[in-house]
Amino acid sequence: MFKPSKKVVATFGVAVIAGTAGLVAGAPMASAASVNPDLNCTEPILHWNKSGKQTFDVSLTPDTGSAPGTVQAKVDAGENPLRTDTPFPGIGFVGQYTFTLSTGGEVTLTAPKFTADIGPTQGINPPEFTADLAIPQAAPGTRIDLTLKTFALDVYLAGQPNKITTATCQVTGNNGVVASYKVADAPPQNPTLTTTPGQVKPGGALTVAGTNWPAGTPTVELCDASGNACDATKVTGALTVTDGALAGTATIGATVADGSYQLKVTVGDKSKTSNVSVKADVPSNPRKLTLDPTHGPVGTEVTVAGEGYTPGADVYVIPTNAAQQPDVPGLVMAKAGADGKFTAKVKVTKADTTLIAASEDTTGTLSAGAPFTVDGNPPTGSLKQDLTGTIAGGALTISQENGGIKLSDVTLNGTEQNMTGALNTVTVKDYRGGSTGWTLTGAVTDFSNGAGGTIAAEKFSWTPKITPGEGSPSQAVAGSTGPIGKTGATLASAPNADVTGGTFKADAGLSLAVPAYQAPGNYSATLTLSIS
């Protein structure tokens, strides 16, 4: 006679922690099933051997979730076919239920010890029990079926603490799946978008790439820095999506003004933006001249030293007056070396000479000049004294107001988010004098929570800003908006010029792109700033 099954349907709550906030969701209902297999039961010492049927009801709570994981298994077994020739009252039993898994391997559940009678007409009727069942690693969407393999009973005589034997019942037929667990499907992935380089000229091309895009034809738009006022006429794109991978190029319109923008890509109902900086080329003249001496009477021979010229170029060196009329008979030729430098000697033969110039072409376009003063004879009755003095160049230094930056906190919500903040102001002091510029760069390490969670350095970006101090002769420019990364990016720079120097305040808005399902924790990284 079989014991009736006691199936149960149950729900319970689980806490899902995202960042620092908790969300409570109801778990799936329990999965329950029943089998009535044929068993062959044997016991080696007391010879309790018997074949027959036994019912097994198993329910899992929850029956859907992650893997690996742990669920509650409720097991309710009917009367066992084992019988004895004579009655045995008050025998202790411990049930061992072994199930095979459809994904491979097996799992055994041990029931609490119970006491029962057994005899010629009375079998063992195990009580219902609940135990933790470990779900192994499996791919999202996998169904894991449990099938009974063996049911064993450890036997304890009345009043004895140690078992004396084990009766094992092997399944021989009419078996089936007694419970199932469904591994939750993987959450949908949001599309990603990257554009390189971070800065282009009007009319320049960007390399566009991304992942997790739906099938379809991509469209591109150029939006303002906040992602609004998007305009498809300011950019053209040749993009494709293959197996979720976005690839191709986007070309910025030739009339787009300098500034910060966002490139927006749309495929179907999915859109994503990436920061882009547009800046036209600023022409600069790297050519410099130094004269020795810088003054003297007519007939003075001047050593002219040049740098920044095209390596191997022929250079025309010639004295010139204030009306830019060259002293053609005084022209000498020089050739720039592999380092772009040259040395030549010219003689000042005219009293109206005010400049010595050196050019790579005959029009004077690719040229540089340095002033020369022709010394005259002092008037009768007057005296002349030459005044000299030395001004020593100072140093190029950087300093900051604070060493720590706190980014804004985020709470995971299934979408990519940004942690934002601001760079502690960096002060650049250039007291060197001369004509040499400088470049201020930064590089960042990967972010880590100290417990195995990381965010790549390439996810950290900035929007640089530079403010010159009053009277600073250098024309400093802010670096490009975009990722900083381990290899570094430019925060600000000042080009070479005839006169350089000054003080500057460098700032930047900071943003860390946090993946949708990033491990929670307190993340930290190190941003290193250097100037050269």
Side-chain angles (χ1 to χ4, degrees):
M1 182 174 183
F2 297 115
K3 180 174 72 172
S5 170
K6 296 185 282 294
K7 296 183 183 178
V8 198
V9 175
T11 60
F12 67 98
V14 293
V16 179
I17 305 301
T20 58
L23 305 175
V24 178
M29 296 180 66
S31 162
S34 178
V35 295
N36 187 22
D38 298 327
L39 301 180
N40 181 32
C41 302
T42 59
E43 184 283 311
I45 298 176
L46 303 175
H47 302 292
W48 297 352
N49 303 327
K50 190 72 172 179
S51 296
K53 286 182 171 291
Q54 184 176 359
T55 58
F56 294 88
D57 294 331
V58 178
S59 63
L60 303 181
T61 306
D63 62 359
T64 301
S66 60
T70 302
V71 300
Q72 286 286 305
K74 181 175 289 187
V75 181
D76 184 9
E79 187 176 13
N80 187 267
L82 276 174
R83 299 292 187 272
T84 59
D85 294 335
T86 59
F88 285 86
I91 301 299
F93 297 99
V94 174
Q96 305 280 347
Y97 300 74
T98 300
F99 304 91
T100 58
L101 304 178
S102 60
T103 53
E106 58 187 42
V107 62
T108 298
L109 299 180
T110 301
K113 186 177 181 180
F114 65 95
T115 301
D117 300 337
I118 185 171
T121 61
Q122 184 176 9
I124 304 166
N125 197 342
E128 181 183 278
F129 74 96
T130 301
D132 289 341
L133 187 146
I135 300 297
Q137 178 72 48
T142 300
R143 180 185 179 91
I144 303 176
D145 293 330
L146 279 70
T147 304
L148 183 68
K149 179 181 180 182
T150 61
F151 170 57
L153 288 166
D154 293 339
V155 181
Y156 297 78
L157 292 180
Q160 297 298 319
N162 299 320
K163 74 174 182 178
I164 62 167
T165 186
T166 298
T168 302
C169 298
Q170 190 80 32
V171 175
T172 60
N174 294 313
N175 201 13
V177 174
V178 70
S180 294
Y181 181 84
K182 172 69 180 302
V183 181
D185 293 331
Q189 299 294 312
N190 293 321
T192 66
L193 178 65
T194 59
T195 52
T196 53
Q199 178 175 297
V200 293
K201 298 184 295 183
L206 295 163
T207 298
V208 181
T211 59
N212 304 322
W213 286 90
T217 302
T219 61
V220 291
E221 299 171 274
L222 193 64
C223 311
D224 62 22
S226 63
N228 299 313
C230 299
D231 190 341
T233 66
K234 292 183 177 181
V235 61
T236 57
L239 307 178
T240 59
V241 175
T242 304
D243 295 331
L246 177 72
T249 59
T251 303
I252 303 298
T255 60
V256 173
D258 288 4
S260 296
Y261 298 89
Q262 289 192 28
L263 182 77
K264 181 178 181 180
V265 176
T266 301
V267 182
D269 62 349
K270 300 294 184 181
S271 294
K272 192 73 174 176
T273 61
S274 178
N275 294 330
V276 175
S277 177
V278 178
K279 185 174 179 61
D281 282 342
V282 178
S284 61
N285 181 11
R287 301 166 188 84
K288 308 294 179 186
L289 290 186
T290 302
L291 307 182
D292 185 21
T294 58
H295 66 90
V298 172
T300 298
E301 187 176 67
V302 180
T303 299
V304 182
E307 65 180 87
Y309 285 75
T310 302
D314 291 327
V315 182
Y316 305 90
V317 185
I318 190 169
T320 304
N321 62 17
Q324 298 185 7
Q325 295 171 330
D327 178 14
V328 177
L331 170 70
V332 298
M333 294 292 297
K335 183 177 286 292
D339 58 357
K341 297 180 180 181
F342 73 88
T343 301
K345 292 183 181 293
V346 296
K347 181 176 288 189
V348 175
T349 61
K350 292 187 176 182
D352 63 349
T353 298
T354 60
L355 182 80
I356 295 178
S359 177
E360 293 183 40
D361 60 1
T362 57
T363 64
T365 302
L366 306 176
S367 66
F372 182 87
T373 301
V374 176
D375 296 337
N377 294 322
T380 302
S382 64
L383 299 174
K384 175 184 175 182
Q385 296 185 13
D386 291 330
L387 303 177
T388 63
T390 300
I391 298 176
L396 174 64
T397 63
I398 56 175
S399 61
Q400 62 188 12
E401 297 176 358
N402 198 324
I405 299 173
K406 178 65 174 71
L407 300 179
S408 62
D409 296 332
V410 299
T411 298
L412 298 179
N413 61 8
T415 63
E416 180 176 298
Q417 302 180 74
N418 290 318
M419 301 173 73
T420 59
L423 182 73
N424 293 315
T425 299
V426 177
T427 301
V428 179
K429 296 180 180 180
D430 184 7
Y431 300 151
R432 297 171 297 171
S435 58
T436 304
W438 51 264
T439 300
L440 177 60
T441 60
V444 69
T445 63
D446 289 339
F447 285 75
S448 171
N449 68 356
T454 61
I455 302 177
E458 286 67 26
K459 295 285 187 178
F460 191 58
S461 60
W462 61 14
T463 303
K465 178 183 177 182
I466 187 71
T467 304
E470 184 176 355
S472 297
S474 286
Q475 300 299 311
V477 294
S480 302
T481 296
I484 302 172
K486 295 180 181 178
T487 57
T490 298
L491 176 59
S493 63
N496 296 339
D498 290 337
V499 180
T500 61
T503 60
F504 309 86
K505 299 288 187 182
D507 300 281
L510 305 177
S511 179
L512 175 63
V514 180
Y517 295 94
Q518 182 66 31
N522 295 320
Y523 283 78
S524 62
T526 299
L527 174 64
T528 302
L529 300 168
S530 56
I531 193 167
S532 60

